[in-house]
Amino acid sequence: MPRKKLVPLYGVELVALFDYKTKKPIGYFQAVASAGLERSVEMTTMTGANAPGALDAEPGLPENSFSATLRELPDFLLETVEGAQKTVGEAEAGGYVDNALTDTKGTSLSSKITAVAVKSTSKSNLPFGEIIFTATGENKIKVQVLGALANGINGFAAEDCTVIEELTLSGGTVDLEDLGITLTLAADATLVEGDVALVNARPVNNGYSELTVGTSKGIKYFGALIVWPKASDGSIKFCKIHKIAAGGVPISAGERAYSEISISGTPLVDMCQNGEVYKFCRLHPAEGC
């Protein structure tokens, strides 16, 4: 087959991860800033006497490394590389809030606030995260939010994430319009100053997921595929790295910029692939030089 004069690699179409044993695809990244496979061999040289340079050389152990810089963080990345445990929830057309408090210090708050519910007329104000209640007196509480407010940081009244500095509780019900919830109160219960409790809340959504990453679960293994865009001459290229050992996913946030997540790993010799490390494939266009 005639060879084209130039065989350039231009751009990046996608990077995909797959199960290194079954070859089943796990998922692909489309917002890829860069991806690559690095291979180097450090030479062991022999010198002697006054020779101006090496007299002989033999190859040492090759070093392989894979890296990718991404501008997206799909769930499967944390599941594959971090071993994250995933919980998926259905759509919540009316929003969500825990119907009972979880005490984190003392128990007086859950005795006083016996139920929590979404206030339908102000459900658009529900935050995404945890609503924290702190007893500041026998019948007074402070309300904070550890999460994202519906109106952004302008909804905080103080730098400690306070939304309501002081709220007096008696009996019956009380509406917290700014948070989209209603509290049901026990009239005969009193609070112990310093007690803390919380509820989880979510605004109206079309579904949600939670990924929990705990202690290291050791090295994870997967394969990776780098695909270059179809060139203007019709040629297509991809590189299939059979088995990569990796662990850990850094997460970042930047000022008015898309976050970049850089992952890295060590490509291994795959004995199930005749000792291969990777395979580079090229589809030649119909015409030749």
Side-chain angles (χ1 to χ4, degrees):
M1 177 181 294
R3 177 184 178 277
K4 299 290 291 182
K5 291 182 179 179
L6 296 176
V7 188
L9 299 176
Y10 180 81
V12 56
E13 176 89 358
L14 62 87
V15 172
L17 304 184
F18 60 88
D19 186 304
Y20 79 96
K21 292 181 179 179
T22 65
K23 314 306 177 187
K24 180 180 178 181
I26 297 171
Y28 73 91
F29 310 102
Q30 194 168 5
V32 181
S34 64
L37 169 67
E38 295 184 11
R39 281 176 55 81
S40 62
V41 177
E42 185 175 345
M43 304 302 291
T44 301
T45 59
M46 181 183 71
T47 59
N50 292 323
L55 298 174
D56 198 5
E58 291 291 342
L61 290 174
E63 294 186 1
N64 306 319
S65 64
F66 164 80
S67 64
T69 300
L70 314 168
R71 295 197 176 106
E72 59 175 321
L73 183 60
D75 292 349
F76 73 81
L77 175 59
L78 293 176
E79 291 179 284
T80 303
V81 183
E82 288 277 24
Q85 300 300 308
K86 182 177 178 179
T87 301
V88 178
E90 300 296 328
E92 296 166 321
Y96 171 85
V97 67
D98 293 341
N99 58 20
L101 270 64
T102 298
D103 291 307
T104 59
K105 181 182 178 183
T107 59
S108 66
L109 278 160
S110 60
S111 297
K112 181 66 176 178
I113 303 173
T114 58
V116 186
V118 174
K119 183 173 174 57
S120 60
T121 56
S122 56
K123 63 185 179 182
S124 60
N125 293 332
L126 281 164
F128 182 30
E130 297 171 338
I131 303 174
I132 314 294
F133 304 92
T134 302
T136 57
E138 288 188 356
N139 64 344
K140 297 181 184 299
I141 63 170
K142 178 179 183 176
V143 185
Q144 299 164 287
V145 170
L146 193 60
L149 293 174
N151 296 318
I153 60 174
N154 292 330
F156 290 123
E159 63 184 10
D160 63 352
C161 301
T162 294
V163 177
I164 302 173
E165 189 66 48
E166 184 176 275
L167 179 66
T168 300
L169 305 180
S170 53
T173 61
V174 59
D175 295 330
L176 306 188
E177 295 283 353
D178 290 344
L179 296 175
I181 62 174
T182 297
L183 308 179
T184 300
L185 310 173
D188 57 349
T190 58
L191 301 174
V192 176
E193 186 174 350
D195 279 4
V196 183
L198 63 83
V199 290
N200 292 285
R202 291 184 292 272
V204 174
N205 60 77
N206 195 38
Y208 69 94
S209 65
E210 296 177 352
L211 293 110
T212 303
V213 177
T215 56
S216 174
K217 297 189 177 181
I219 296 174
K220 301 299 177 182
Y221 300 96
F222 56 88
L225 183 76
I226 303 173
V227 181
W228 285 266
K230 184 176 183 179
S232 56
D233 67 358
S235 62
I236 304 173
K237 305 99 176 175
F238 69 78
C239 180
K240 184 179 183 182
I241 307 169
H242 300 300
K243 186 177 181 181
I244 297 172
V249 176
I251 300 176
S252 65
E255 180 184 7
R256 293 185 179 274
Y258 289 106
S259 295
E260 292 191 343
I261 296 95
S262 296
I263 60 172
S264 60
T266 301
L268 304 177
V269 174
D270 191 348
M271 301 312 296
C272 295
Q273 293 288 335
N274 299 317
E276 296 177 8
V277 174
Y278 73 94
K279 177 170 64 176
F280 183 81
C281 299
R282 181 186 300 119
L283 184 70
H284 297 274
E287 72 277 6
C289 295

